[in-house]
Amino acid sequence: MTQNLADTSRPAADATAHEATVSASRGWWRDAVIYQVYPRSFADSNGDGMGDLPGIRSRLPYLRDLGVDAVWLSPFYASPQADAGYDVADYRAVDPMFGDLTDADALIRDAHRLGLRVIVDLVPNHSSDRHEWFQRALREGPDSPLRERYHFRPGKGVSGELPPNDWESIFGGPAWTRTENPDGTPGDWYLHLFAPEQPDFNWDSPAVADEFRSILRFWLDMGVDGFRIDVAHGLVKAPGLPDIGGADQLKLLGNDVMPFFDQDGVHEIYRSWRAILDEYPGQRIGVAEAWTPTVQRTANYVRPDELHQAFNFQYLGTDWDAAALREVIDLSLDSMRPVDAPTTWVLSNHDVTRHATRFANEPGLGTQIRTPGDRSLGLRRARAATLLMLALPGSAYVYQGEELGLPDVTDLPDEVRQDPSFFRQAGQDGYRDGCRVPIPWSGTEAPYGFGPVAGGPSWLPQPAEWAELSVEAQTGDPTSTLELYRSALAVRRAQPDLGAGTDVEWLDAPEGTLAFRRGSFVCTVNTTGQPVRIPAPGRLLLGSADLVVDGGETVLAPDSTGWWAV
């Protein structure tokens, strides 16, 4: 039931001037606003405390009315859930906790009827250790041909008791686990850059490449509009799997090209995938989750014959500082322009502390923060950062709940945490659960409409104060963060100079502020904690805070962004 472009467009009665400008030659993804749904935490249809596909389907009208263009679904495949579904046992099946393939089909069809495109997660770097291939490789022993589909290696030392090399897992500890042979003797080791339950595929094996081309077609035939590719930079490992030769490897990530990340061989894989995507009507896309040392290397993933978008993690990690923001914006645009790819902008996702909490703390603490900080300050900056992001040329990503101004839950008790890296020493900080708490929809009692029964369960506990942040509580309140997002996305659609493009025209602005023009639109940003007076650029369209216009001048409120028509 392959969908064509007409199937995925909004009904003619709902068409806007913005949508009329989206031509097949330019590509819908170039200025799309894409909403990330973390299925566990979005909506629970059956009251078991876990979000599911029917729950997502029931909330699709909310996303249409919010004003986004597409929905990206984090993994819902059959999985033992050792890493929240990023350990896939069957890439062509839905895990029963989320529903079944019939539910996935219905969700895709409903989304298309509402004018929403659907992007699904794809996890090609590793599978679950429960995957049929891996289980057979273990059962059949060292001579199994299926071992060529993973990285099995003999250990070092007198009796193979040491790992094959010095690589570390992203979740902490060695990146190798030793197997046991069918006769009970110690066996070879296998590579897992993440949890031991996530063995890495060997992409030198033709069987792996063939399998994933088949998986792509399975979901494209079902009608999905694209794929977000998990660990897109990790598929190819350096020949011989050489030692890195140093401790604290995790501190090097994002700064150097590692022998297991960002190897040039990954690009041939994505060229073959692009050929498949281009076979299907309706402009199907690939989006790279590629952590690279520089934005320039990220651009390699979106060359004209490869993928369509790549996440801009350098922007996500930038502090709330005018000079730093201008630098990363210029660098991002300059890097994508030569490959004719849209720049993407993102502030939060399921792996980092929500930006309402990051900006509530002192700068320089990174993207994993354990303290709530000044929540009022964080929300004020988060609202301003959102308007800045949505004013930039390219595509923007919104993580579920950020439109409600949700902070991270920094005080989850240890006994409820489920992030696998929390249970391993020296790995990631292990506090990703804080951004994954189920979002509030309505009511004054947990689970706040997340499930069908008041007082029912949720897989992570929700704070009592979230009753005031629910969709129901914020709807109709002109000062709420939800209504700010709705207004911003409506203005973005109505303003032809917003969205797609490759340039901004920087205007003179006092220290600590930014001002740029895009055609008949101007954006002003004050990243300081003090009001700043500047000439009013034109007619105020929208502000993240109250902006006072007085006799041809405007007072930019502390930590605020304004949109202006000129």
Side-chain angles (χ1 to χ4, degrees):
M1 55 159 217
T2 301
Q3 301 286 330
N4 58 34
L5 184 60
D7 292 327
T8 59
S9 62
R10 279 180 168 76
D14 295 333
T16 64
H18 168 86
E19 290 164 313
T21 68
V22 179
S23 67
S25 61
R26 182 163 64 85
W28 66 269
W29 66 89
R30 290 186 171 272
D31 64 348
V33 178
I34 300 173
Y35 186 99
Q36 181 188 358
V37 166
Y38 193 68
R40 287 171 163 243
S41 302
F42 192 65
D44 168 20
S45 70
N46 59 12
D48 66 356
M50 186 69 65
D52 48 42
L53 296 185
I56 298 169
R57 183 184 174 197
S58 72
R59 298 293 187 178
L60 289 174
Y62 165 79
L63 298 179
R64 175 203 56 195
D65 295 343
L66 183 63
V68 301
D69 300 290
V71 181
W72 153 33
L73 301 175
S74 291
F76 51 80
Y77 307 110
S79 165
Q81 304 294 320
D83 185 23
Y86 283 94
D87 50 317
V88 181
D90 187 342
Y91 290 84
R92 297 178 182 83
V94 174
D95 194 281
M97 73 165 58
F98 298 126
D100 56 30
L101 283 174
T102 301
D103 294 316
D105 178 81
L107 190 158
I108 294 166
R109 288 177 178 271
D110 279 6
H112 288 167
R113 279 194 288 268
L114 292 169
L116 296 167
R117 288 178 166 87
V118 178
I119 297 170
V120 298
D121 237 303
L122 188 65
V123 188
N125 179 71
H126 48 263
S127 73
S128 166
D129 63 351
R130 306 287 181 86
H131 192 285
E132 179 186 4
W133 287 1
F134 193 76
Q135 286 293 303
R136 280 185 55 194
L138 294 180
R139 288 195 307 269
E140 295 173 4
D143 295 329
S144 173
L146 275 78
R147 292 202 172 201
E148 293 300 319
R149 302 178 186 184
Y150 295 91
H151 293 278
F152 283 88
R153 294 290 188 278
K156 293 180 178 179
V158 175
S159 55
E161 72 276 10
L162 300 176
N165 67 20
D166 66 357
W167 294 1
E168 296 177 358
S169 164
I170 307 305
F171 288 168
W176 296 90
T177 290
R178 195 172 193 182
T179 65
E180 183 179 278
N181 291 324
D183 63 4
T185 60
D188 288 340
W189 298 69
Y190 69 88
L191 176 68
H192 53 86
L193 291 179
F194 294 87
E197 298 88 350
Q198 296 169 291
D200 279 45
F201 283 118
N202 176 14
W203 274 85
D204 290 333
S205 167
V208 173
D210 288 345
E211 171 70 354
F212 273 91
R213 284 192 288 267
S214 174
I215 292 167
L216 289 175
R217 292 186 185 280
F218 178 87
W219 289 103
L220 289 168
D221 288 342
M222 187 170 282
V224 302
D225 300 283
F227 302 90
R228 177 266 190 186
I229 301 159
D230 185 60
V231 195
H233 54 301
L235 277 55
V236 172
K237 278 67 175 177
L241 309 184
D243 284 340
I244 294 175
D248 294 327
Q249 294 172 22
L250 297 176
K251 296 180 180 178
L252 301 176
L253 293 178
N255 299 313
D256 297 294
V257 176
M258 309 293 279
F260 48 76
F261 279 165
D262 198 29
Q263 297 292 303
D264 290 339
V266 300
H267 300 292
E268 188 59 36
I269 297 170
Y270 299 134
R271 291 187 186 98
S272 72
W273 289 11
R274 177 61 179 262
I276 293 172
L277 292 168
D278 287 348
E279 291 177 16
Y280 285 78
Q283 300 182 330
R284 317 298 178 93
I285 70 168
V287 182
E289 185 216 23
W291 291 86
T292 65
T294 65
V295 180
Q296 292 90 335
R297 287 196 67 88
T298 301
N300 291 337
Y301 291 78
V302 288
R303 288 175 287 199
D305 60 345
E306 295 191 39
L307 301 174
H308 299 75
Q309 291 185 349
F311 287 143
N312 187 348
F313 292 117
Q314 284 80 6
Y315 183 76
L316 182 151
T318 302
D319 290 324
W320 182 242
D321 173 81
L325 288 165
R326 177 167 176 170
E327 180 179 4
V328 74
I329 290 167
D330 282 340
L331 180 61
S332 300
L333 294 172
D334 290 346
S335 298
M336 295 298 157
R337 200 175 293 117
V339 294
D340 190 31
T343 306
T344 64
W345 313 100
V346 61
L347 292 167
S348 288
N349 63 37
H350 65 289
D351 281 332
V352 301
T353 300
R354 289 183 178 276
H355 61 281
T357 295
R358 295 203 315 274
F359 293 152
N361 284 271
E362 293 296 319
L365 298 181
T367 58
Q368 288 283 353
I369 298 175
R370 304 179 188 178
T371 56
D374 182 337
R375 289 191 171 175
S376 176
L377 174 65
L379 179 59
R380 189 166 70 241
R381 289 175 171 176
R383 288 163 58 95
T386 294
L387 290 195
L388 168 59
M389 175 183 76
L390 292 175
L392 294 170
S395 178
Y397 280 78
V398 173
Y399 177 51
Q400 65 176 43
E402 72 172 71
E403 78 276 15
L404 304 177
L406 295 186
D408 242 56
V409 181
T410 57
D411 58 355
L412 286 171
D414 290 354
E415 59 268 22
V416 305
R417 293 189 178 277
Q418 300 191 34
D419 185 347
S421 60
F422 179 77
F423 302 98
R424 295 170 63 86
Q425 293 182 349
Q428 292 180 337
D429 286 342
Y431 286 85
R432 295 179 298 172
D433 291 319
C435 67
R436 300 176 178 183
V437 174
I439 66 174
W441 291 94
S442 61
T444 59
E445 181 182 358
Y448 308 115
F450 166 67
V453 180
S458 62
W459 72 281
L460 287 172
Q462 301 155 298
E465 60 268 23
W466 277 19
E468 300 176 357
L469 299 177
S470 72
V471 173
E472 180 182 62
Q474 296 196 44
T475 295
D477 178 358
T479 67
S480 73
T481 301
L482 176 57
E483 294 298 350
L484 176 68
Y485 270 73
R486 287 171 170 164
S487 296
L489 292 172
V491 172
R492 181 181 165 102
R493 286 187 177 280
Q495 287 288 320
D497 290 318
L498 282 174
T502 61
D503 298 284
V504 299
E505 176 190 352
W506 293 107
L507 307 174
D508 290 338
E511 184 177 358
T513 69
L514 298 172
F516 59 86
R517 181 170 182 155
R518 302 190 61 216
S520 60
F521 171 87
V522 167
C523 179
T524 58
V525 185
N526 180 8
T527 67
T528 76
Q530 302 297 323
V532 176
R533 181 177 289 270
I534 63 169
R539 177 174 59 87
L540 182 64
L541 295 170
L542 189 64
S544 66
D546 289 335
L547 303 182
V548 178
V549 179
D550 178 22
E553 290 190 324
T554 183
V555 178
L556 302 181
D559 298 305
S560 70
T561 296
W563 286 3
W564 309 81
V566 297

